[in-house]
Every structure is written in C-alpha cells, then in structure tokens.
C-alpha cells in the first residue's frame, strides 16, 4: 500500500521511518517533507492545506492512506474534504474531522467539552469585547498568576501567564479589543493557574477503542533551566519518571475514558491521535489542553519506543479494530535534543549547510527544518534536527545524544545542554 504523510517536521520524519519499515507498506510520500524524508521516501512539494493539490497527489500516486502530521490541515477540514469527494471517500485519513479537530482549534470548545464530560481541568470563563468588564471582574476573583488564552490557533503563542492583575486586564483588552492575536483572540479563555509538573500523554483512537502511547515530557523554553522564550520544543524524554503506574491509571480512568466516551456521546467520530497536555499536581492529573495530533519533538521519543508496526495500528484506526492490534513498547528510555538555528525563536538565518549528521551511529537524527539545496543539506527552519538516543537511564540516553551532537555542525547551531535536568 502507498501512504501519504502531510507535514515537514521531525514528527513527520519519525512517522516516515516507522512506515517505511513496515512490510505492509509499499511507497511512502511526504508533502512537503524535508531532507530527511527525501532520503527514504518521496517528497511532494505541495502545501498540506491545499486540498486540491493533496487530492491530485493521492490520485496520481495510488495512495491508499493519508496520515496528517500538523493541526492546520485537520482544523481546515482535510478529513471532511476526503469524505465529501467521490474519488477520495474510501481512502482513510489518520486524523480527526473538523468537529474533532475543534478540540485544538478552539480552547473555549475544548474547555466546554471537558466540563461537560467531567474531565479534570482548571476552572475557566470565556470573554469577548462585548463582556470585557465581566472579564475584568472574573480576573479579580482569581489569584495570580493569571492565565489568558486566545481561543483560536495562534502558532503556539496565544497563551499569556501574567503575575500582575493590572497587566492581565491590559492584555485581555489587547486580545479581545485590539486583536493582539488576530481573529484567534476574538474570544479569550481566562483560567485558574494549575500547580504541578507538566507532561504529555498520547492516545491513538479509532473512535471506539484506544491505545495509550508512551508519555513524554518536553522542554519548551529556549534557555537552560527552563528560562526565556517559548519554543515549539527543545527536547523531550520518554518515559516520564514521575508518571508512575498509579498516576497513569488515574489518567486513563479520569481523563482518557471520559474523553473517548465524551466524543462518542457528542457524535464526534474521532480517528487519530489525541495529545493530552497534563499537569500532575501531587499525583492528580488535570488537563491543560488537548491537541489533535502528535507533539513535536515528543514524537521523536514516543515513536522510537513503539515496537509494534505503526502501519498496523493505523490500519486498526481506519477499520475500527484497533483493539485487535498488538501494541508493544520498549521499557528503555528515549531522549531527544533539538538543534536549532541561532536566534530562534526570534529571527534567524536559513540556508546554512549542515554537516556530520551522516556520521552519527549511536543516535537517530530526525530532520525537522532541513532541505536540499545544490546537493547539500541546509537549514530551512528554526528547529533543525532532533537527535534521539536510547538508554537504560535518562543519563545514559542523554550522554549518547550529546555525543552525537558533537559530530553535527552548522553555522550558529544552538541547543539546550540541560534536557532532563529536572528529572535526574
Ligand atoms: P497551551 O498552549 O494551552 O499548551 O499553553 C502553553 C503552556 O502554558 C502550557 O504548556 C503550560 O505550561 C502553560 N499553561 C497553560 N495553561 C495553564 C494553566 N491553567 N496553569 C498553568 N500553566 C498553564
Ligand atoms: N511540543 C509541543 C507541541 O508539539 O505542541
């Protein structure tokens, strides 16, 4: 069978490696892909939100399954587009339809969903410029820090955590009245600040059955010691030592089951990944957010730990018999360290030649922001490569990742030297 993966990051390179390895998969196409996917699969240079171009690719290449990496095509309705097209409707799409994707596309919707189905989450209220004064009054009832979230997709930038009430009121007004995050902040969710330590749990579901994938912790800030600006993610670790069996059992009973049941009750036929951002407060889980896709760089530690055939699991999602599929995870620890362009997450330069990554033997190098220019692999984004290693302990795996990184070079390469600092 031929498969098309939509996206171009480390997450998509990780999907590609797993799917290429399946004996049941013939050819893998990636749109648009990167220099890493180009080496083992076929890149197609189209935009994943250009559905007509996706359709043409699918029909021209006899593609029989589409795996969606990022949220944008899902929120824009790529799955619905396939179902409404006579020539595409029997081709399964791994990723929810528009209704399910709203769990990520609208924070207000996802908070309402959690409240309705009893999923533990921070207390909240939503406001627009019409009830700004009520928003101010609600802020006054909360203790600092204040959490303000743009309702819509804001490229990971739509969450503000503020210590002063005056500042929180100013920012709320900026968001709803002056469109600080464009249309995304027409509505703003204000919620209680959750204490605890954060981690992510990933679920793959066919709408009825589910598999809980390995959990992971990512490192979002650019600076060591979790300081500085937020990024897409600077590294990740799986499993998460503080997510023990007792905690993960609570997550399954209190979060995963009510979420899957809630989707069914609400008539949302969800086929794909659910990424649950969680706070662990003294052993009790509370949901920070849902995403409707895998995380990046979390995928670069979660997928390598899955020993089962990924295509088989996707086939189970497509045919709603995920419960019949075997699911095996290695107990080993996987760590990944992200190499980024100097300046990221602010302005940075592109087109820097990357060398040495082919000499790495002890780690897997997942390409993220890379492309090929004049037969050379060059940088094309802020997050460039994720270097993943296995070990019996976090320390052992990290040591391998950092040793491998020593072999890789590009101008102004930057990375965090303290991934896992809080866990070891
Ligand atoms: P989100 O885009 O919802 O993932 O929010 C970005 C980050 O803000 C999360 O990963 C958390 O670190 C933090 N955050 C969001 N909501 C809360 C909350 N209610 N309490 C504490 N931290 C939060
Ligand atoms: N690493 C966080 C995300 O993928 O949203």
């Amino acid at each position: 069978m031929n498969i098309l993966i939509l996206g171009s990051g480390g997450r998509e390179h990780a999907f590609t490696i797993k799917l290429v390895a399946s004996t049941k998969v013939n050819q893998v196409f990636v749109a648009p892909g990167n220099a890493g996917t180009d080496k083992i699969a076929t890149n197609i240079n189209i935009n994943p939100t250009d559905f007509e171009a996706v359709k043409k690719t699918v029909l021209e290449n006899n593609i029989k399954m589409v795996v969606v990496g990022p949220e944008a095509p899902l929120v824009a309705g790529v799955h619905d587009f396939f179902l409404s097209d006579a020539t595409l409707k029997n081709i399964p799409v791994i990723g929810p339809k528009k209704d399910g994707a709203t769990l990520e596309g609208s924070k207000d919707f996802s908070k309402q969903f959690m409240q309705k189905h009893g999923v533990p989450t921070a207390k909240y209220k939503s406001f627009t410029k019409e009830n700004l004064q009520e928003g101010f009054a609600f802020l006054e009832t909360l203790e600092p820090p204040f959490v303000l979230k743009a309702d819509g997709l804001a490229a990971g930038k739509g969450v503000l955590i503020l210590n002063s009430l005056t500042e929180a009121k100013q920012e709320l007004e900026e968001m709803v009245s002056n469109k600080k995050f464009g249309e995304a902040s027409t509505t703003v969710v204000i919620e209680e600040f959750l204490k605890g330590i954060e981690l992510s749990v990933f679920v793959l579901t066919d709408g009825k059955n589910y598999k809980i994938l390995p959990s992971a912790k990512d490192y979002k800030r650019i600076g060591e010691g979790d300081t500085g600006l937020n990024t897409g993610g600077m590294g990740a670790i799986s499993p998460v030592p503080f997510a023990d069996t007792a905690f993960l059992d609570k997550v399954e009973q209190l979060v995963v089951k009510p979420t899957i049941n809630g989707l069914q009750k609400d008539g949302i036929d969800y086929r794909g990944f659910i990424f649950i951002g969680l706070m662990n407060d003294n052993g009790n889980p509370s949901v920070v957010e849902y995403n409707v896709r895998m995380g990046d760089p979390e995928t670069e530690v979660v997928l390598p730990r899955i020993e089962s055939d990924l295509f088989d699991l996707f086939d189970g999602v497509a045919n709603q018999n995920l419960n019949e599929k075997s699911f095996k995870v290695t107990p080993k620890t996987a760590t990944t360290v992200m190499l980024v362009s100097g300046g990221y997450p602010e302005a940075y330069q592109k087109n820097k030649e990357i060398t040495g990554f082919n000499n790495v033997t002890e780690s897997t190098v997942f390409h993220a922001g890379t492309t090929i220019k004049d037969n050379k692999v060059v940088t094309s984004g802020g997050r460039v490569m994720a270097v993943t290693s296995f070990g019996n302990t976090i320390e052992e795996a990290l040591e391998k990742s950092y040793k491998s990184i020593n072999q890789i070079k590009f101008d102004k390469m930057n990375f965090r030297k303290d991934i896992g600092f809080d866990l070891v």
Side-chain angles (χ1 to χ4, degrees), residues 107 122 147 149 159 161 191-194 198 220 230 279 288-289:
K107 304 250 188 219
V147 183
K149 299 184 171 186
V159 176
I161 298 182
E191 67 180 35
E192 194 181 39
F193 183 82
L194 294 167
E198 226 175 324
K220 288 197 172 91
N230 252 324
M279 205 63 90
V288 175
E289 61 165 352

Side-chain angles (χ1 to χ4, degrees), residues 11 218 220 232-233 275 289 291 293-298 383:
R11 166 181 54 208
D218 83 337
K220 288 197 172 91
F275 163 160
E289 61 165 352
N291 293 307
R293 52 174 174 84
M294 282 299 288
D296 195 345
E298 293 91 331
R383 293 194 299 162

Side-chain angles (χ1 to χ4, degrees), residues 177-306:
S177 302
N178 300 331
K179 299 194 175 188
K180 179 169 177 141
F181 298 107
E183 293 306 321
S185 64
T186 308
T187 299
V188 168
V189 168
I190 301 180
E191 67 180 35
E192 194 181 39
F193 183 82
L194 294 167
K195 292 192 302 294
I197 175 157
E198 226 175 324
L199 76 156
S200 302
V201 169
F202 303 92
V203 176
L204 181 65
T205 181
D206 62 12
K208 288 196 304 207
N209 311 289
Y210 61 84
K211 302 275 189 212
I212 299 184
L213 311 183
S215 56
K217 182 173 195 304
D218 83 337
Y219 292 80
K220 288 197 172 91
R221 305 296 197 94
I222 187 71
E224 272 140 32
D226 287 340
T227 54
L229 294 173
N230 252 324
T231 72
M234 296 294 290
I237 290 183
S238 175
V240 185
F242 61 81
D244 55 13
T245 315
F247 178 75
L248 290 174
D249 280 348
K250 278 193 193 167
V251 171
E252 177 163 17
Q253 298 308 325
L254 301 176
V255 178
V256 177
K257 283 189 176 163
T259 299
I260 302 290
N261 291 338
L263 288 166
Q264 279 180 325
K265 278 188 204 149
D266 289 352
I268 298 174
D269 176 24
Y270 195 110
R271 315 277 179 109
F273 292 101
I274 310 176
F275 163 160
I276 307 173
L278 287 170
M279 205 63 90
N280 173 344
D281 184 9
N282 280 317
N284 294 311
S286 188
V287 176
V288 175
E289 61 165 352
Y290 291 115
N291 293 307
V292 298
R293 52 174 174 84
M294 282 299 288
D296 195 345
E298 293 91 331
T299 306
E300 291 94 298
V301 289
V302 170
L303 284 197
R305 293 190 58 224
I306 299 178

Side-chain angles (χ1 to χ4, degrees), residues 352-371:
K352 304 289 187 186
E353 186 181 356
I354 312 162
T355 59
F357 59 90
N358 281 324
N359 304 329
V360 170
T361 52
E362 279 197 288
S363 311
T364 305
V365 178
F366 294 103
H367 289 236
T370 72
T371 190

